Amino acid sequence: MLPFWLSIGFLSAVQGVLVGLPRAPVEIPLLTRVGGRWWALVLPLSIVVVIGAIALDSASAQFLTWLR
């Protein structure tokens, strides 16, 4: 296993190179087809669903803890 400072340095250098490389954006047909403002609701609604499931049944909280 690499030392922490070396792995962080390597990952930072890779990130810097990837950010610095200019190129045209990649158009993925599937993502352009399903793109829209409604996708912004996925994360908040998933949080609401999980909190609701935990509130209704404590076994779901135990399952989610086990799933982690």
Side-chain angles (χ1 to χ4, degrees), residues 31-65:
L31 294 179
T32 56
R33 191 177 73 208
V34 296
R37 293 183 179 186
W38 293 104
W39 283 100
L41 294 175
V42 169
L43 181 61
L45 288 178
S46 66
I47 293 171
V48 169
V49 167
V50 168
I51 291 174
I54 291 172
L56 291 176
D57 185 20
S58 64
S60 61
Q62 292 175 352
F63 172 73
L64 290 173
T65 303

